[in-house]
Amino acid sequence: MSDTTPQNAFTLTDADINLSAVLALACTIPGTCISFLALLAYSVVVCFKRSRAKLDRVSFRLMVYTLVFNILFGIAYAATPASPGVLCNFGAFAVNFTLSFSTFFTTCIALNLQLVLVHGVNGKKMEKYYIAATTILSIVLNVPTYAVHQFGYNEDTGTCWYSNTDPRLRLKWIIGTQSFWIILAATVETICSCVVLGWIYRFQRITSIMIKVSTRTKPPQIKEKTRIRSSDNVFRPVMLVARDKRYRRVVLRIAMYPIVSLIVNYTTVILDLNMTVRGFHTQRDFNLLILDLIFYGIRPLAYGVLAITDPAFVNAVRELRGTEVNRNGHRTNSERTVTQLDFASAVQSTADGQGAVSQSSKEPTHSSIIPGNTEESGESRTECVESGGGSAHDEDLWKFESQL
């Protein structure tokens, strides 16, 4: 036994510390740059009035907040020195502080999807609570920890992290101020995403059955000038998403945020706890440390890629490109024309399949869903629906999308 112990023992050298620092830096810089470019592209697109309307969505703004703190996380992660000192202490605090903001904001994205789609809650009204809860949690978890000097140079791993020399106390601080909350946030994201995906699948099936039934029997005729409205704040978003495939794609792509968060967060938490509980004694432990640092480093890259492919941003770019085509005089707004045709078709299917609902619905109760709660705007939207233009359906979808 005494012969094998020295062979299995591992001593962390300066070369190992430099290697881990270089690998962490190499993994962080690309993601931070991509996230910054994505944020810069957002800023350019939002300068144009027409494309700005496409970005008026709660989940998009939450994504912007996530992107900002991922950039700050990448900067702090790359700039923190791998040596004892004041900068090491502050760097460890900055990394954990920005990580908390990023993690909780992605949780809010998934939570907002479930509240809006499944429960009919107004996402815009909830936005301030998302921001407040994230800010309070991030401050409470990290500022007191920094104040009592729990962040600093960890001699076991040669990194700036939790620095308590007592492994048991260090483990308690890690679990109480980081690991538990990250796992909780990732779990909530996963549950909300599963609920949303299950909700979409369920209503797809219900809508499919309703369409099959409606095609077998001729629906009652609707009198001219009948307004197609619903008094149920939850029913209308349900039908909007059920009819429009674009919004199912939007929801599915937004659901990718918590999936990425789940993979990154669970992996880093498991590796962090493994190092703290088992200690740092072998080459395998060092390899796991490298893997942990790499997962932390690629976090900005993952969210940067998701930010570039965000549905609201893609739609805004398409809208902007359509506007440019019109200015050049080559084509008339083809993207918009197709959209109006789609909406008109959806409205017509509503008139054919939901006649009984339309006749029994009450007049003013649509105001909570349709923007512009004036009688004049309501009349103009109604006339567009009756003429088959589809503008009322378009505004319904715009209002609903802005809450997502």
Side-chain angles (χ1 to χ4, degrees), residues 56-95:
D56 186 16
R57 183 160 57 82
V58 174
S59 289
F60 178 79
R61 288 191 288 273
L62 293 174
M63 184 62 194
V64 170
Y65 306 148
T66 303
L67 202 59
V68 169
F69 281 101
N70 269 308
I71 294 173
L72 296 176
F73 169 82
I75 294 174
Y77 193 70
T80 301
S83 57
V86 177
L87 291 179
C88 176
N89 300 344
F90 181 77
F93 160 73
V95 167

Side-chain angles (χ1 to χ4, degrees), residues 115-305:
L115 291 177
V116 173
L117 291 176
V118 181
H119 306 291
V121 177
N122 190 312
K124 285 191 171 183
K125 292 182 179 179
M126 293 298 297
E127 185 175 2
K128 58 180 177 291
Y129 298 109
Y130 300 146
I131 297 174
T134 297
T135 303
I136 293 173
L137 267 177
S138 299
I139 292 175
V140 168
L141 293 177
N142 293 282
V143 173
T145 307
Y146 180 63
V148 295
H149 309 291
Q150 291 300 316
F151 291 127
Y153 185 74
N154 189 313
E155 296 182 355
D156 293 337
T157 60
T159 58
C160 296
W161 195 40
Y162 288 83
S163 59
N164 199 303
T165 55
D166 187 340
R168 293 184 177 180
L169 287 178
R170 185 167 69 244
L171 179 62
K172 291 179 180 179
W173 277 101
I174 293 173
I175 294 176
T177 61
Q178 187 195 65
S179 298
F180 169 78
W181 297 97
I182 291 179
I183 287 291
L184 177 63
T187 303
V188 170
E189 290 177 57
T190 305
I191 293 174
C192 291
S193 299
C194 291
V195 170
V196 170
L197 293 176
W199 179 89
I200 295 175
Y201 174 75
R202 174 173 173 263
F203 277 99
Q204 278 181 326
R205 294 203 50 169
I206 293 176
T207 306
S208 177
I209 294 173
M210 291 175 63
I211 292 174
K212 290 179 180 179
V213 172
S214 63
T215 55
R216 295 175 183 175
T217 58
K218 186 177 181 180
Q221 296 295 327
I222 303 176
K223 295 181 180 179
E224 190 177 359
K225 302 288 185 182
T226 299
R227 298 182 179 185
I228 302 170
R229 295 170 180 169
S230 172
S231 59
D232 191 341
N233 292 349
V234 179
F235 172 76
R236 196 170 189 86
V238 166
M239 298 308 296
L240 294 177
V241 176
R243 292 192 200 97
D244 202 301
K245 293 182 179 180
R246 296 179 310 140
Y247 285 83
R248 293 199 295 269
R249 290 197 295 268
V250 167
V251 175
L252 288 173
R253 292 179 68 179
I254 291 176
M256 286 299 297
Y257 303 142
I259 291 175
V260 171
S261 181
L262 177 68
I263 296 173
V264 174
N265 288 331
Y266 266 82
T267 303
T268 52
V269 167
I270 290 173
L271 292 174
D272 288 344
L273 295 179
N274 176 73
M275 284 188 299
T276 305
V277 173
R278 292 188 53 184
F280 198 79
H281 306 294
T282 65
Q283 179 67 40
R284 178 176 176 273
D285 295 331
F286 177 72
N287 295 338
L288 291 177
L289 170 65
I290 295 296
L291 181 63
D292 190 23
L293 295 175
I294 290 175
F295 265 96
Y296 273 114
I298 65 175
R299 182 186 183 91
L301 176 62
Y303 284 105
V305 172

Side-chain angles (χ1 to χ4, degrees), residues 364-376:
T365 52
H366 73 295
S367 60
S368 60
I369 296 296
I370 302 179
N373 187 22
T374 62
E375 186 60 29
E376 181 180 356

